[in-house]
Amino acid sequence: MSDLDDLLSPMHCVSHTLQRTARLVAGVYAEELRTCGLGRSQFPLLESLDAAGGSLATSDLARRLDLDRTTLTRVLGPLVGSGLVDRAADPGDARVRRISLTEAGRARLAEGRTAWRRAQARTLERIGPEAWRALEHDLRRLRRALA
């Protein structure tokens, strides 16, 4: 049996292996972010808004996060409800909805960054910085190959 034949076995499923790994890693981040009241998918949303100067059109935010609009709407709901972000019509085009970071959102994001750093440190401690750099490179290469 060749190496390729072996890798074509379901025992080496790329999708399943990545999903299992992602669930374990996500658990570390979820645990730390929960301490400041943020969900794992909410933190990058707040980060993206902050990086963009505090406001983005819904479609631009979805693109930055690589989310479909339905998923983005589901993630936004609790953030709007808790006053961390505002959703309003764009002053230049009423058809466009803009998502803006509020002052409460900025404060929560600051707490979230501390929690995220703890999660990142815990994860890097387990796999090592060099191993992460190599894996990060390989994962980027995989994304480019599949895009």
Side-chain angles (χ1 to χ4, degrees):
M1 177 185 278
S2 75
D3 191 42
L4 181 57
D5 286 337
D6 181 46
L7 290 175
L8 291 174
S9 161
M11 294 295 296
H12 298 286
C13 179
V14 174
S15 177
H16 183 67
T17 300
L18 289 172
Q19 285 175 341
R20 287 179 65 197
T21 305
R23 275 194 301 272
L24 291 170
V25 171
V28 173
Y29 287 80
E31 181 182 326
E32 293 293 349
L33 288 167
R34 198 172 314 138
T35 65
C36 64
L38 287 175
R40 203 176 40 80
S41 56
Q42 294 171 332
F43 177 75
L45 190 151
L46 296 178
E47 274 290 348
S48 291
L49 287 172
D50 190 55
S55 178
L56 281 171
T58 304
S59 58
D60 293 334
L61 182 58
R63 205 171 10 266
R64 279 182 185 230
L65 295 169
D66 198 21
L67 295 175
D68 60 73
R69 290 177 65 96
T70 303
T71 303
L72 178 58
T73 299
R74 189 170 7 107
V75 174
L76 277 172
L79 294 172
V80 171
S82 60
L84 301 179
V85 298
D86 283 328
R87 186 176 12 202
D90 185 290
D93 186 347
R95 297 170 298 173
V96 175
R97 305 305 272 173
R98 292 199 69 79
I99 311 302
S100 302
L101 195 55
T102 65
E103 285 306 312
R106 287 183 206 292
R108 185 72 60 86
L109 177 57
E111 293 174 37
R113 285 179 175 141
T114 300
W116 179 89
R117 286 180 65 83
R118 285 193 309 265
Q120 186 81 348
R122 280 177 58 192
T123 305
L124 291 173
E125 200 174 279
R126 291 177 183 164
I127 65 172
E130 298 81 18
W132 168 243
R133 293 250 186 240
L135 179 58
E136 183 180 31
H137 175 267
D138 289 344
L139 290 170
R140 282 189 176 133
R141 193 170 48 132
L142 176 61
R143 282 195 306 270
R144 281 192 305 271
L146 295 174

